[in-house]
Amino acid sequence: MIGAPLTAEFKSPEFIEAVERIESVAHDLILKLPSEIPVVLTTVLAGTSDWGDAEWKRIVRLGDERGPLLVVHIHCDLEENIRRIEAAGRAAKRKPRDAEMARRNHAHGKVLAGIDEANLLRLDVTDLSPTEAATNIAEWAQKSRR
């Protein structure tokens, strides 16, 4: 089943089922980890959809069971977003490199999941290196866990 996301058409019912099964196993394993080991999930859930809303509920449930749930919304200005999306290194990671995606996302400005969470950090990384952004997030997370 693990290979299904690679063999099923993206966003097809088979693909979604495979992803949800894999996530279920991952969440079960996460719940067995010692609480002092942080877990980072990365995703972009914007707007509303049946799958996106259900995915957010699964993440919140995991946060409730293992908590605390800390949500970080990372953003940057459009020009920087385009520069990062078009970076050659993204191709090796099989990430999209279409600048139109950034333009659409910035133009539509859909509300991101977690915007109303109590433990929310909004971080503009336009002028931050990855190390600086990670440091800011780590420092905020340390304070939030106290």
Side-chain angles (χ1 to χ4, degrees):
M1 194 65 190
I2 290 177
L6 300 175
T7 59
E9 184 179 329
F10 184 62
K11 293 189 177 182
S12 69
E14 296 81 11
F15 178 90
I16 290 170
E17 179 184 357
V19 168
E20 288 174 354
R21 285 184 179 194
I22 292 166
E23 283 181 351
S24 178
V25 171
H27 288 196
D28 288 345
L29 293 171
I30 288 167
L31 291 172
K32 293 177 183 176
L33 291 172
S35 61
E36 64 272 7
I37 296 177
V39 174
V40 177
L41 304 176
T42 61
T43 189
V44 177
L45 298 171
T48 59
S49 69
D50 290 344
W51 184 85
D53 295 346
E55 176 70 359
W56 182 247
K57 286 179 183 174
R58 288 188 291 272
I59 291 169
V60 169
R61 184 173 44 247
L62 179 63
D64 288 344
E65 292 179 23
R66 190 170 189 279
L69 174 63
L70 306 177
V71 178
V72 179
H73 284 178
I74 297 173
H75 57 93
C76 60
D77 67 30
L78 178 58
E79 293 76 24
E80 178 64 9
N81 196 191
I82 290 170
R83 186 189 71 74
R84 292 178 186 194
I85 284 176
E86 291 179 335
R90 287 179 62 91
K93 296 175 185 173
R94 299 182 57 169
K95 290 185 173 185
R97 295 187 61 212
D98 180 10
E100 250 339 278
M101 181 176 67
R103 289 185 186 94
R104 278 191 312 272
N105 289 344
H106 280 258
H108 295 139
K110 293 180 182 176
V111 174
L112 295 171
I115 201 76
D116 55 355
E117 288 297 319
N119 294 316
L120 171 67
L121 170 65
R122 295 178 192 215
L123 184 62
D124 185 332
V125 297
T126 301
D127 298 316
L128 298 179
S129 71
T131 301
E132 291 168 323
T135 299
N136 287 345
I137 294 167
E139 289 172 355
W140 171 79
Q142 280 297 94
K143 291 176 191 171
S144 298
R145 290 185 62 117
R146 291 183 192 149

